[in-house]
Amino acid sequence: MTYLLALDQGTSSTRSIVFDRQGRIVGVAQREFTQHYPQPGWVEHDAMEIWRTQRDTMREALHRAGVSARDIRAIGITNQRETTVVWDRRTGEPIHPAIVWQDRRAEPTCAELRKQGLEATILQRTGLRIDAYFSATKLKWILDQVPGARARAQAGELLFGTIDSWLIWQLTGGQRHLTDVSNAARTMLMDVHRNAWDADLLDRLDIPAAMMPQILPSSADFGRTAPDILDHAVPICGVAGDQQSALFGQACFRPGMAKNTYGTGCFMLMHTGDRFQVSENGLVTTSAAQTDARPAYALEGSVFVGGAVVQWLRDGLRAFTRSSDIEEMARSVPDSAGVMFVPAFTGLGAPWWDPQARGTITGLTRGTTMAHIARAALESIAYQSAALLQAMSRDAQAAGADGLQALRVDGGACVNDLLMQFQADLLGIPVLRPTMVETTALGAAFLAGLQAGVYADLQELESLWRIERQFDPAMPRDQAAERLDQWNHAIRQATAR
C-alpha cells in the first residue's frame, strides 16, 4: 500500500491525515490550540504550540492508521495563510507571537501605503489589494516593534515565514527555509508574474531580503524530515496555502472552475489558468497551486467571518453547546423572520474591503427568538459567499468567459444541508459537495503524490473526484433577488459612518 501524509495546519486547530492512494482517509488526528486576543482587533498564536500540535498529530495519525513513517511515500503541507512568524535562525525560537491573518493591527501602515498612492502598483505586481490581512505589513510591524529586530534581520539572524515555512524549518531540523508560490503570493511581497520577491516592495517596507524564504512550485522537493521527528526521514513533496490546496483537492484544474471553502472564514476561488486578471469587482488575484515553474492564477474572494459566527454564538452567547446544534435550532423556524446578521467582527473582506465595519443584527422584533438569530447567522455565511460569486461572475464575463455553472464546496460547514441548500437558492446554480470534504488536506496529499510519482498527471487526480450530493436551486429567482436586496441593505447599515 502507498500512503501520503497531509499536515493541515489551520486557524483554530492542527490536523494530520493519512490518505491512501485513492484519496481515502485511513488515519486522522486533530488538536485545537490557543487563540490569543491581546487587544481588540489583534489575534495571535504561539508558533511553538502550533509546531508541537503538528508534531504530535503526525505521530498520532500514523498510529491510528496502523502504519509507520516508512510506509509514507511523501508529506504534503497545507496551512492557514498570511499568518506571520519571525524566528531566530540559530535557536529556532520565535521573537514574537505569530500575528494571525485576522489581525488588524497593521491597518495604519496600510493607510500610509494608500496615501502614498501605491494601490495600483501593488495590485498589478502582487494581485492583492492593500490590506492588513496580508503578511507584509504584519512583518513590518514586528520589525518596527521588537527592539533590535530589523538590525538582526539585516545581519541574517532572523527568518520570516508564513506557517508553511515555519513547519518546513521545524520538520527539517532547521535545514530548509522555503515556501511555495501559493503562500508567497499571500504576503503582498511577491511579484506574481515572476514568482519572485519584489525588491522594490521589500525596500519600501524596509524588510531585509535576507530573511525571506526561497520560493518553489507547490509540487517540489522541500527536503526531508529530520529522522527524530518520525523515526524515519520522509520527503516533503507538496506545499500550498489552504485555499489553493482546496482548489487543487477539488480538481479545479481548468479555467472557470470554482470552489468555496466553509471554514473559520469562507474562501471562494475560481481558476483562471495562465491569465493574470485584475478584478474590477473587489476580488484579488492570487497564484494557484503550481506543479511547475509556470505561473497559474485564480480570482479569490475572502469572507473573514464564516463558520466563526457559529463559534461566537456557541461561546459568546452560549446559544448551544456544540457547533453542530445550530442546524437543528435554525430548522426549528421556517425563516429568519426578517433578521439579518452581518458578522463583521473584524471588518468586511471582499468585495467590500471595509476594515471599519462592525457586526450588526438588524430586523429584530419582539417575536425574535434565538432560533431566528441562529438561522440568520447561518444565512450570513451564504449571503457573503453569494456576493463573492456575483463579483466573480462579473469578472469572468468581462474577460469573455462564461459565468460559473456550478460551485464545488468543502470545509467543515459544508456538511450543513440547510446552509448548502440556501447557498444554491441564492446563487441559482448547483452546489456540489464531494464525497471527500477534506479537500484542503487532500490537495496537499495530491501535490505531494505528484512530485513523489504516486500519480502520473492531473487527469489521474481528476478521476478520483466524486460527488456526494448535489444541491439544486429551489427558490424562485425573484425571491432570491429580494433576499439579496435585504442583505445589501443590512450591509449598508453595517458600513454606515
Side-chain angles (χ1 to χ4, degrees):
M1 293 292 290
T2 297
Y3 298 100
L4 297 163
L5 175 60
L7 312 186
D8 184 359
Q9 205 299 298
T11 306
S12 56
S13 69
T14 299
R15 296 188 303 167
S16 294
I17 302 178
V18 179
F19 290 97
D20 67 12
R21 193 182 183 284
Q22 300 302 312
R24 296 173 298 212
I25 293 176
V26 295
V28 61
Q30 178 172 350
R31 295 194 185 185
E32 292 190 359
F33 57 91
T34 311
Q35 308 293 307
H36 300 275
Y37 307 100
Q39 294 185 31
W42 290 29
V43 190
E44 294 179 349
H45 290 158
D46 179 344
M48 291 304 297
E49 184 183 9
I50 286 176
W51 162 238
R52 288 191 297 270
T53 58
Q54 192 70 80
R55 180 196 61 203
D56 293 347
T57 58
M58 290 167 63
R59 295 168 176 171
E60 187 177 345
L62 291 178
H63 177 73
R64 291 186 175 184
V67 301
S68 74
R70 295 179 184 277
D71 299 313
I72 302 298
R73 187 75 166 271
I75 290 174
I77 298 172
T78 185
N79 55 283
Q80 55 166 317
R81 304 171 305 170
E82 301 94 20
T83 296
T84 299
V85 187
V86 177
W87 67 93
D88 185 297
R89 178 193 294 272
R90 183 179 60 82
T91 67
E93 289 289 328
I95 67 166
H96 189 274
I99 301 180
V100 181
W101 59 272
Q102 299 159 310
D103 190 283
R104 305 303 300 174
R105 76 185 69 184
E107 174 55 30
T109 299
C110 294
E112 181 60 31
L113 293 174
R114 296 185 199 106
K115 185 178 177 182
Q116 293 172 18
L118 290 173
E119 282 189 283
T121 297
I122 288 175
L123 185 61
Q124 286 295 333
R125 291 185 191 176
T126 70
L128 306 179
R129 299 176 184 275
I130 297 174
D131 195 85
Y133 173 28
F134 305 113
S135 309
T137 52
K138 302 180 195 297
L139 173 54
K140 183 181 188 306
W141 188 94
I142 291 174
L143 294 176
D144 286 342
Q145 299 298 320
V146 176
R150 184 166 278 105
R152 293 180 63 198
Q154 289 170 339
E157 297 175 14
L158 300 182
L159 300 178
F160 154 76
T162 43
I163 294 297
D164 58 308
S165 297
W166 170 244
L167 291 179
I168 293 168
W169 178 265
Q170 294 291 342
L171 286 165
T172 62
Q175 295 303 303
R176 305 298 292 272
H177 184 215
L178 305 170
T179 189
D180 95 294
V181 64
S182 70
N183 277 293
R186 308 301 297 180
T187 61
M188 212 171 76
L189 292 169
M190 188 186 85
D191 183 333
V192 296
H193 307 279
R194 299 184 299 112
N195 287 350
W197 299 119
D198 189 293
D200 178 56
L201 292 178
L202 289 172
D203 185 60
R204 285 179 181 272
L205 289 164
D206 199 12
I207 295 171
M211 68 188 311
M212 307 300 289
Q214 180 186 352
I215 302 171
L216 296 181
S218 308
S219 187
D221 177 7
F222 291 88
R224 289 175 171 266
T225 60
D228 63 324
I229 304 293
L230 295 172
D231 297 324
H232 179 70
V234 182
I236 305 166
C237 294
V239 175
D242 51 10
Q243 303 315 317
Q244 293 99 324
S245 187
L247 188 71
F248 200 85
Q250 286 276 33
C252 293
F253 304 138
R254 296 188 301 276
M257 298 183 75
K259 71 87 195 174
N260 194 25
T261 297
Y262 298 81
T264 304
C266 290
F267 303 89
M268 189 178 294
L269 274 73
M270 180 179 72
H271 208 296
T272 60
D274 60 3
R275 185 182 76 249
F276 176 84
Q277 177 184 356
V278 172
S279 172
E280 298 297 329
N281 294 282
L283 305 177
V284 300
T285 305
T286 197
S287 293
Q290 297 170 16
T291 57
D292 53 36
R294 292 173 294 178
Y297 303 104
L299 285 173
E300 175 173 338
S302 304
V303 171
F304 292 160
V305 177
V309 71
V310 179
Q311 295 172 334
W312 180 75
L313 286 176
R314 182 194 67 191
D315 302 335
L317 296 190
R318 303 190 184 281
F320 36 78
T321 56
R322 298 174 302 171
S323 294
S324 58
D325 294 338
I326 191 173
E327 182 169 4
E328 181 181 355
M329 180 178 286
R331 282 189 184 277
S332 70
V333 291
D335 53 46
S336 67
V339 176
M340 286 283 166
F341 191 157
V342 180
F345 300 148
T346 56
L348 285 170
W352 304 282
W353 294 107
D354 188 341
Q356 304 305 320
R358 287 295 176 265
T360 60
I361 302 176
T362 62
L364 298 174
T365 68
R366 187 68 179 82
T368 299
T369 68
M370 184 56 75
H372 294 113
I373 294 174
R375 186 159 186 133
L378 267 188
E379 291 180 350
S380 76
I381 302 172
Y383 280 123
Q384 292 177 95
S385 297
L388 296 181
L389 187 132
Q390 289 175 331
M392 214 163 267
S393 293
R394 289 192 293 269
D395 279 330
Q397 290 164 2
D402 295 332
L404 296 178
Q405 303 301 307
L407 180 67
R408 299 185 176 193
V409 297
D410 55 70
C414 87
V415 300
N416 189 305
D417 291 349
L418 179 66
L419 173 59
M420 292 299 99
Q421 183 58 55
F422 189 67
Q423 188 73 86
D425 289 342
L426 288 181
L427 299 178
I429 60 174
V431 168
L432 310 179
R433 185 169 66 197
T435 54
M436 173 55 67
V437 297
E438 300 292 355
T439 52
T440 302
L442 184 62
F446 280 170
L447 286 164
L450 275 176
Q451 171 67 18
V454 175
Y455 306 111
D457 50 34
L458 297 182
Q459 287 71 33
E460 183 177 1
L461 295 178
E462 199 167 17
S463 71
L464 298 176
W465 190 85
R466 297 282 187 276
I467 295 177
E468 180 265 329
R469 180 168 175 182
Q470 177 169 319
F471 296 86
D472 292 310
M475 183 183 292
R477 298 313 302 150
D478 58 344
Q479 186 179 344
E482 182 181 344
R483 294 285 190 92
L484 287 166
D485 284 342
Q486 293 172 346
W487 169 257
N488 288 326
H489 178 69
I491 285 287
R492 288 192 293 273
Q493 290 176 288
T495 56
R497 299 289 184 267

